[in-house]
Amino acid sequence: MPGVSRRGFLAGAAGAAGAAGAAWTSMLLAGCDDAPAGEESNSAPNNEPLTGAAVAFDGATQAGIRTPTQAHLNLAAFNLRDGVDAAGVRRLMRLWTEDARALASGRNPLSSLEPEMVEWPANLTITCGFGPRVFALAAPDAAPAWLGGIPAMRRDALRPEWGQSDLVLQICADDPVMCAWALRHMTRAGVDYARIAWLQQGFMNAYGSIPKGRTPRNLFGQVDGTVNPSTDDDFAQQVFNPDGSSSLVVRRIAMDLDGWERLDRASREQVVGRRLDDGAPLTGHDEHDAPDLSARDEFGLPVIDPNSHMARAMPPADHPEQRFLRRPYNYNLPPAPGSESLSDAGLIFLAYQKDPEAQFTPVLRRLMEADRLNEWTTHIGSAVYWLPPGTAQPGTAQPGASQERGGGDAYWGETVLAGGRG
Amino acid sequence: MPGVSRRGFLAGAAGAAGAAGAAWTSMLLAGCDDAPAGEESNSAPNNEPLTGAAVAFDGATQAGIRTPTQAHLNLAAFNLRDGVDAAGVRRLMRLWTEDARALASGRNPLSSLEPEMVEWPANLTITCGFGPRVFALAAPDAAPAWLGGIPAMRRDALRPEWGQSDLVLQICADDPVMCAWALRHMTRAGVDYARIAWLQQGFMNAYGSIPKGRTPRNLFGQVDGTVNPSTDDDFAQQVFNPDGSSSLVVRRIAMDLDGWERLDRASREQVVGRRLDDGAPLTGHDEHDAPDLSARDEFGLPVIDPNSHMARAMPPADHPEQRFLRRPYNYNLPPAPGSESLSDAGLIFLAYQKDPEAQFTPVLRRLMEADRLNEWTTHIGSAVYWLPPGTAQPGTAQPGASQERGGGDAYWGETVLAGGRG
């Protein structure tokens, strides 16, 4: 059920419901993702030939969340056309789910005349999210409270053109042509129901372009994604609800690279709290070392500035739930005409969690209050979506699997959209 | 010398100057590129690990021309700032050449504080071109006649924002982060001399994302690049002048994908003259078969429409010089706000030849007159650049190599810019 309560949040999936719950958890975790259980996800992909690389579309959770970050992102926000009702949304979701499954599998969707464009999916994932209007139309009582939006922050400079929409498709692939084609196909397939509100195009390192296991860097030169969840338990605690659903927060963050690059390296490291070369905390030796915020230098000053980005982002000891999955993408566009900036660059910051209000917003608030990095970053877009559970190919659902268990929906959001509510 | 004459054009490098010319030709061809002699270039790259992939910067010709098309393009046009004279251009070229060499080699340029961003060049190439103003400043008599610009065409819908500039940097890499970083570094390094006029960002298939030897497809679904030069002789005849210089024509071509996709497959194939599935001419069986324009079907009609794109693009029998190298990149941007188009997409069409007037313009004119594909394409940008010969790392020039032979310039365009002309 989408309206996940904050109660029992910390219990995670495994502890939630005794034996039946535990059995279900195993099923969820076995089926939910493409990363072998226990292996780190969201690190650099491996060097297997890309022509053979595909991500399973169906599963207890949607692909594109735990999937290691692909090189390319087309994040497309859609608004429903006037007159589209709950029945229309159901038709759109049946259609989109079927076509996304085909594309991710290297099969040509029924409505497409271009089979040659889909032969090598290159780890294509297409992940769907619902904004508040879909719930308002189809199931008002089921809307999660946090879908009202991320609270306004003092430093926000949000632009309406990057705001909330009714639907979102997160399209990721390791081949930019595949990523463009999938966007085009999905937009065309849904054209009678929804039109594009905005499109955020981003990139990370190409498949195989950095050594396996390395954390990618953003355009500030920082390793980005060090503290992500990695184990099955992490994902069950932080990201996926028991029914396989999750949430996506999108923040578009402009980065003042021109200003940042005027800092020397020591200052950059102080601002972030980590070393630039290996991403280790200033108190540690390895990227994944736990930072020691109490450490002092020979003058008695904190080694890690309490207002450094890392220190502000860390969950306090009494709020271990303030963690989430990050899948950030860079953008790098031409400077505005007449501007003396060298570029219009930044981050499409994608955060996934069970409950944005409990997990994401407190971190954002701490950062907005005093993060030293704020001098070079400006949040210019914000949106939040409910991510439906994963799907099952028609005819393959387990006889014993109920819809409440997730992963059995015939199309995205069936549990919310069906049931005669609309 | 840049002012290549049209006389002797067809002779190519090999036949131009007897024994000395032939010896030089071997040197040129041995040193000029990264593709083993005789192997097809500009086809899909291989599947060697991308972390080890780099393209030699120095050579008789610039890298990024014969180099197989990388996945990402940042084509940046620059205009010189007011007051920059020939001496300023020389300083900029020394600086840019040195920094481009470092970046392509995975070394950090002297002025950069970000060594971590350049470790894996991912086949980075940075190729420089001169517009008319550089010649006007430094060597007016040396300007090639064709640098006056591509003649206006009846169907042109050129927009000033995609027009001619003083300089161009063609930055290509198989990693989008490297491609973005190299653009940023080069822009910053040259900021006192030149500022960005426009930036064209494009993509082709990711490294290893389609099987080796396949020709990539553009967003019309067509294979694009079938008739490119492939052998050393082809390149000596079509692309590289004896001194190692060449030229780049940039055409920005908007593609009406929405309209194109309303055609059935048979109509699309008639428009192009090739089969969609394998790119073979409608009279052939294989992509690389020569088309038979005289073939008739059972009704006596031409199998290949004389106004098909392929038939119009083919050089006539008495003008075999009308060939050139193509390195096209796709672009796929969000539709303009309020537009009902599904996307703002097209091609950044890059053509390389010794002499645009003799090789490129006649083909363009034939296409603009009657190519059936014109219904779905609109040329919205045009620019032309002289591409200086390749460079040699300081201290490595052969004692016997004169500047006239190319490949020995210490910096881009030294032969034109030095000599006290400015």
Side-chain angles (χ1 to χ4, degrees), chain A residues 184 188 195 258 261 340, chain B residues 184 188 195 261 340:
Chain A
R184 182 154 181 88
R188 187 175 54 185
R195 55 184 288 175
D258 297 4
E261 289 169 7
E340 274 293 332
Chain B
R184 183 157 180 86
R188 187 176 53 185
R195 53 184 288 176
E261 288 169 7
E340 274 293 332

Side-chain angles (χ1 to χ4, degrees), chain B residues 181-242:
Chain B
W181 189 254
L183 169 67
R184 183 157 180 86
H185 177 84
M186 295 296 284
T187 309
R188 187 176 53 185
V191 71
D192 292 338
Y193 302 94
R195 53 184 288 176
I196 285 193
W198 49 250
L199 177 62
Q200 302 201 39
Q201 301 185 297
F203 57 90
M204 260 292 166
N205 289 107
Y207 185 84
S209 68
I210 61 174
K212 191 172 173 173
R214 294 282 187 115
T215 309
R217 291 173 189 274
N218 61 37
L219 295 176
F220 275 165
Q222 302 165 248
V223 295
D224 203 326
T226 303
V227 297
N228 263 340
S230 60
T231 67
D232 294 347
D233 278 353
D234 291 345
F235 276 89
Q237 279 227 333
Q238 298 176 34
V239 181
F240 294 120
N241 293 306

Side-chain angles (χ1 to χ4, degrees), chain B residues 51-102:
Chain B
T51 39
V55 177
F57 178 80
D58 292 297
T61 64
Q62 287 193 72
I65 304 171
R66 191 168 179 175
T67 309
T69 309
Q70 301 100 319
H72 300 283
L73 166 74
N74 273 326
L75 185 72
F78 292 84
N79 283 328
L80 293 169
R81 292 184 185 270
D82 292 344
V84 173
D85 59 6
V89 176
R90 278 198 295 275
R91 285 197 299 274
L92 173 60
M93 287 302 133
R94 281 186 189 279
L95 197 157
W96 265 0
T97 305
E98 190 176 312
D99 283 8
R101 178 183 293 121

Side-chain angles (χ1 to χ4, degrees), chain A residues 333-353:
Chain A
L333 299 169
S339 158
E340 274 293 332
S341 294
L342 299 184
S343 63
D344 170 14
L347 216 53
I348 304 163
F349 187 86
L350 305 180
Y352 310 77
Q353 54 282 306

